[in-house]
Amino acid sequence: MAAVVEAAEGGRPPTAPRARRRDPLRPALLLLAAFALALGTFQLAAGTQAPVPYWVPLAFTLVYAVWAAAGIIAWWRRPLSATGLLLLVGAIAVFLGGAGNLGLPGLDQLGAVFATLILGVTVHLLHAFPTGRLHGALSVTTVAVGYGVTFLLQMPLYLLPSEASGLRTLAEWVQSVTGLAVMVVTAVVLARRLRSADPRNLRVLLPLYAYGIVAVLLIPLSANLIGVLGGDPVLVGGVQLVVLAGVPVAFLAGVLLGGYGQTSEADALSTWLGTAAPTRTSLGSALARSLGDDSLRVAYWSEERDLFIDEDGDPTDVRDQLPPRLWEEVRVESRLVGAISYDGRMISDPESVRRAGRVLAIALDRERLTAALVASNDALLRSRLRLVETADRERGRIARDLHDGLQVQLVLLALEAQQIANSDDAHPATSEAATALRHRIDDAAAQLRRLVHAVLPSALVERGLTAAAEDLVDRLDIPATLTSDVDDRALEPATAQSAYLIVAEALTNAVKHSQARSVAVELRREGSTLGVRVVDDGRGGALLENGTGLKGLADRVDALGGSFAVTSPVGGGTEVKVVLPCGS
């Protein structure tokens, strides 16, 4: 049975996909795989001449292959973890345990010495998973006692002569009882870890821990139960071998299904941060994947609120937590910028967290500088928008003052001039002069109305952008069309007035400068933007830099956060295309 137990531990180490560029581990793992294949082939070949049925070395070889493959996979995916090494040691233990069945000189003695080593390695693996390191005095003591059972208490079984049957029986009993205690303590430790595990890490921990609890209890109980029932010792060994073969299988379930992902080093993480523009959410996820802890969380220090906040801006305190949760501050020089909270059972090396923290500090400082630049740019845009709105309000005030003040006075003056002209006692020359004055006053009032209309068209104020644009199109001396699907109620005043001024300027240029024969105006609402397009069939050649009309409108559109484009090939007409942000 002891030999069976050992052979079950030869396994396959999970190889962790490290960065494929400049990866010295990969050829080493390929060499290990070749060596493992050679050992398995040797065992199968030697098993054909063994004094035991061929299925025995075949079974040991299969279990050995499972442990070896799991070890290579583990080492590949987590190069900095000792889990892969433990699985490979287990594979060697299975091989040595099975080698005792081959009947070859020297291998019989090795099989006897290492017959139960796989049990100690299994206990070590379960206590050290997933970091490969032992945590806590209880785990360290349990593993040490486990190796004592497999080495020290194994010694009487192969050193005592066969005549000392009483002592051998006593040694076997002590080994069995102590081994059972080690297995029970291991099951309790795993159960406690499962209960206290972060739910986000259960995908990794549950397959191996749950199966491990069953395995460490089933291995000693199966031997006692089958022995009490008078079963064949070969059956006991076969059951234990099958149970031990399931340990790396459970590990692989955690690897493939649970997200025991490939970890990366700080330089790979730094490269990713340098080429991407990560959000806070993606930054935390990248760190969690890099360090192999799905429960890892990044907190950000808010200087304004004097507390830590999470990715959503909600207060959080990474310092208010108990082991196994640990945390590391992230600083840029001496300035606190954040903290990393992680599970000490998933990440055994605090220095790896500190290295990641230094990379995170660079990203957070870049984020701070970017945020300051964005805030400065936003402030500039808001300032320019306020200038546009202030100019519009001032233009409206001037237009109202002209309409309500000067225009009224001109109307009154025209009436007085007409009264003088119509007076019965007025001299004919005076009547003629008064009539001429009234005409000049009417002309001045008409010019004033046109000026007021240009500054603040009444149609735009009273009926909206579409009606005002229609009024502009109707006044043209050339054929013109207007297409609009705009709801005027949804437009901000600055947007509506800008669109009107663009249409007015473009139509004026089409008639006066482009010598167009026809013109088309389009007003389209597209989501949260307003599209303005004016196309004519004139001579083209218009440049945005020439003159002040279009250039001034382009500056206005830029201040509103829109886009302004003029396409005017010589002889191909002119297209003015503008996109403006608008209210919802």
Side-chain angles (χ1 to χ4, degrees):
M1 177 193 73
V4 171
V5 171
E6 283 188 11
E9 183 169 272
R12 53 195 211 177
T15 53
R18 287 167 58 104
R20 296 185 179 177
R21 62 182 192 279
R22 301 177 293 109
D23 189 0
L25 180 64
R26 197 170 182 184
L29 290 177
L30 291 175
L31 191 61
L32 273 177
F35 178 72
L37 179 62
L39 282 182
T41 303
F42 166 78
Q43 191 171 41
L44 287 176
T48 59
Q49 306 297 324
V52 296
Y54 186 70
W55 68 263
V56 175
L58 176 61
F60 273 99
T61 304
L62 290 176
V63 176
Y64 157 79
V66 172
W67 278 79
I72 293 173
I73 293 173
W75 211 335
W76 182 37
R77 296 182 75 86
R78 297 288 177 92
L80 303 180
S81 171
T83 304
L85 177 61
L86 281 173
L87 286 163
L88 287 174
V89 171
I92 297 299
V94 173
F95 173 82
L96 292 175
N101 300 311
L102 300 179
L104 298 177
L107 291 183
D108 289 344
Q109 290 76 13
L110 283 177
V113 172
F114 298 106
T116 56
L117 175 59
I118 185 63
L119 296 178
V121 176
T122 299
V123 170
H124 190 174
L125 174 67
L126 293 174
H127 280 270
F129 185 76
T131 63
R133 298 188 181 187
L134 298 174
H135 297 277
L138 180 59
S139 288
V140 172
T141 302
T142 303
V143 171
V145 173
Y147 281 120
V149 170
T150 60
F151 282 115
L152 298 179
L153 297 183
Q154 182 71 12
M155 293 174 65
L157 302 183
Y158 59 83
L159 292 178
L160 290 174
S162 56
E163 294 80 10
S165 58
L167 290 177
R168 290 173 62 92
T169 302
L170 177 62
E172 288 180 355
W173 182 83
V174 172
Q175 186 186 41
S176 298
V177 172
T178 309
L180 177 62
V182 169
M183 297 300 190
V184 170
V185 171
T186 299
V188 172
V189 170
L190 296 184
R192 289 174 57 186
R193 288 184 181 179
L194 274 180
R195 287 188 58 187
S196 62
D198 191 292
R200 289 164 291 205
N201 290 325
L202 281 179
R203 295 183 307 157
V204 175
L205 301 177
L206 184 60
L208 185 59
Y209 278 4
Y211 183 81
I213 293 172
V214 174
V216 296
L217 295 178
L218 188 59
I219 288 172
L221 291 179
S222 63
N224 295 327
L225 183 59
I226 295 176
V228 170
L229 297 177
D232 189 343
V234 176
L235 177 62
V236 175
V239 170
Q240 292 183 338
L241 192 62
V242 171
V243 171
L244 288 171
V247 172
V249 173
F251 172 82
L252 289 176
V255 169
L256 302 177
L257 303 177
Y260 188 73
Q262 174 185 5
T263 57
S264 59
E265 298 177 354
D267 58 349
L269 179 63
S270 179
T271 300
W272 177 78
L273 291 173
T275 57
T279 62
R280 286 188 168 183
T281 301
S282 65
L283 192 59
S285 300
L287 282 176
R289 289 192 303 271
S290 174
L291 296 175
D293 178 10
D294 286 342
S295 69
L296 181 145
R297 289 296 175 265
V298 177
Y300 306 88
W301 180 252
S302 172
E303 295 181 353
E304 296 81 5
R305 301 164 66 180
D306 196 32
L307 48 76
F308 284 105
I309 58 175
D310 60 15
E311 298 161 348
D312 299 322
D314 299 324
T316 184
D317 192 354
V318 296
R319 295 170 292 194
D320 186 19
Q321 50 192 3
L322 300 175
R325 296 298 303 181
L326 304 174
W327 62 282
E328 289 285 343
E329 289 185 348
V330 179
R331 294 180 177 272
V332 175
E333 297 177 345
S334 61
R335 181 168 51 85
L336 179 65
V337 295
I340 301 174
S341 168
Y342 65 99
D343 190 336
R345 294 169 301 191
M346 302 297 292
I347 304 174
S348 61
D349 183 12
E351 183 57 31
S352 64
V353 181
R354 297 188 189 102
R355 287 195 298 269
R358 289 192 285 271
V359 175
L360 175 64
I362 298 173
L364 292 181
D365 202 42
R366 183 178 70 177
E367 181 189 73
R368 179 183 64 83
L369 295 175
T370 302
L373 180 61
V374 170
S376 175
N377 187 58
D378 288 344
L380 176 61
L381 289 177
R382 287 194 297 269
S383 175
R384 296 176 67 183
L385 179 59
R386 285 194 297 270
L387 290 175
V388 171
E389 292 174 341
T390 299
D392 287 345
R393 285 194 298 270
E394 185 64 17
R395 185 182 295 107
R397 184 189 65 78
I398 293 172
R400 285 189 295 272
D401 288 347
L402 290 175
H403 180 275
D404 299 338
L406 183 56
Q407 184 169 309
V408 171
Q409 294 180 23
L410 289 175
V411 170
L412 294 177
L413 288 175
L415 291 175
E416 291 181 7
Q418 187 63 46
Q419 288 177 353
I420 294 173
N422 295 336
S423 176
D424 295 334
D425 55 354
H427 190 275
T430 302
S431 297
E432 183 179 351
T435 300
L437 176 61
R438 183 184 65 80
H439 289 312
R440 289 195 298 274
I441 293 175
D442 288 342
D443 291 339
Q447 293 178 14
L448 181 61
R449 282 193 295 273
R450 286 192 293 271
L451 175 62
V452 171
H453 185 273
V455 173
L456 186 66
S458 58
L460 179 64
V461 176
E462 297 171 1
R463 292 185 291 158
L465 173 61
T466 301
E470 186 178 8
D471 186 48
L472 288 174
V473 168
D474 290 341
R475 294 184 183 186
L476 291 180
D477 296 330
I478 61 176
T481 60
L482 170 66
T483 305
S484 174
D485 62 359
V486 176
D487 182 2
D488 297 319
R489 295 170 300 178
L491 296 179
E492 297 290 341
T495 302
Q497 187 153 353
S498 297
Y500 175 83
L501 294 175
I502 291 165
V503 172
E505 180 68 20
L507 293 179
T508 299
N509 290 340
V511 174
K512 288 186 177 181
H513 306 298
S514 188
Q515 299 178 357
R517 295 181 300 276
S518 64
V519 64
V521 179
E522 292 183 8
L523 303 175
R524 299 289 186 189
R525 177 67 182 271
E526 299 175 358
S528 60
T529 62
L530 170 65
V532 180
R533 182 169 176 266
V534 181
V535 181
D536 67 52
D537 59 357
R539 64 184 182 182
L543 296 176
L544 189 60
E545 294 77 12
N546 294 343
T548 59
L550 289 178
K551 185 65 173 65
L553 290 175
D555 292 339
R556 178 186 179 94
V557 170
D558 185 58
L560 293 175
S563 63
F564 192 105
V566 176
T567 304
S568 185
V570 176
T574 300
E575 177 188 42
V576 177
K577 190 173 183 179
V578 178
V579 177
L580 293 167
C582 56
S584 58

